[in-house]
Amino acid sequence: MSRLSALAFLFALVFTGTAAAKTCELEITGNDQIQFNKSKLTVSSECDKVKLTLKHVGKLAVEQMGHNWTLAKTGDWRDLAQKGQAAGLENEYLPVGDERILAHTDMIGGGESASVTFDLSNLEKGGDYTFFCSFPGHWALMNGKFVIE
Ligand code: CU1
């Protein structure tokens, strides 16, 4: 292969890769009243990756009113939330290294935002998933369904 055609081949690869990888964006907010603004997030199974952005629209500090966005199977999330309470703020109130955590953002305080990007290919279309905030006491109020359709 000549240097020129090798270069053309590389460009084609990069272009194809860019066109094929589809990142879908989702947004959710949390406030000082221990609430998310959404109880359901829906994403297309055609997305390769999902970028979720959490905005804390309250004013309270992370130590008092921290929020994160954590994704797990519906059968796992309550146990993760309960075990996470002992893990402390430095570990986002999530059990360290637990593979049942499918994705999570950092824990943030009022006025801050955080994002997480994760592969949708690891999850099942039509699967039963729940998102929640793992801050102690918040998960019972701050949770919702994550739907892949
Ligand atoms: Cu929270």
Side-chain angles (χ1 to χ4, degrees), residues 29-32 54-69 89 92 105-114 133 135 138:
T29 66
N31 64 21
D32 284 343
L54 166 68
K55 288 182 182 162
H56 192 320
V57 296
K59 291 187 162 60
L60 297 174
V62 66
E63 295 83 3
Q64 300 166 269
M65 186 57 67
H67 297 316
N68 71 0
W69 184 90
L89 180 58
E92 316 289 332
T105 68
D106 289 344
M107 187 74 65
I108 55 172
E112 297 178 322
S113 67
C133 170
F135 194 91
H138 287 198

Side-chain angles (χ1 to χ4, degrees), residues 116-134:
V116 61
T117 301
F118 56 97
D119 282 338
L120 204 60
S121 55
N122 301 330
L123 309 182
E124 286 172 43
K125 182 180 180 181
D128 194 357
Y129 301 101
T130 295
F131 65 84
F132 64 101
C133 170
S134 66

Side-chain angles (χ1 to χ4, degrees), residues 1-124:
M1 209 187 290
S2 75
R3 188 179 290 178
L4 196 65
S5 60
L7 208 61
F9 179 69
L10 271 178
F11 274 126
L13 262 186
V14 169
F15 181 75
T16 310
T18 306
K22 188 177 172 193
T23 300
C24 301
E25 301 203 8
L26 295 172
E27 271 194 22
I28 192 166
T29 66
N31 64 21
D32 284 343
Q33 284 75 48
I34 318 181
Q35 295 166 326
F36 281 132
N37 70 330
K38 292 172 183 168
S39 58
K40 185 178 170 184
L41 290 168
T42 304
V43 73
S44 165
S45 61
E46 289 173 18
C47 306
D48 298 299
K49 290 174 183 287
V50 174
K51 182 184 179 187
L52 180 288
T53 300
L54 166 68
K55 288 182 182 162
H56 192 320
V57 296
K59 291 187 162 60
L60 297 174
V62 66
E63 295 83 3
Q64 300 166 269
M65 186 57 67
H67 297 316
N68 71 0
W69 184 90
T70 305
L71 182 65
K73 286 185 179 167
T74 295
D76 294 334
W77 80 276
R78 285 186 184 81
D79 188 53
L80 282 172
Q82 285 167 354
K83 290 205 167 93
Q85 302 204 11
L89 180 58
E90 67 272 24
N91 294 310
E92 316 289 332
Y93 293 109
L94 286 169
V96 177
D98 196 313
E99 291 180 357
R100 296 174 300 166
I101 301 164
L102 302 175
H104 74 90
T105 68
D106 289 344
M107 187 74 65
I108 55 172
E112 297 178 322
S113 67
S115 295
V116 61
T117 301
F118 56 97
D119 282 338
L120 204 60
S121 55
N122 301 330
L123 309 182
E124 286 172 43

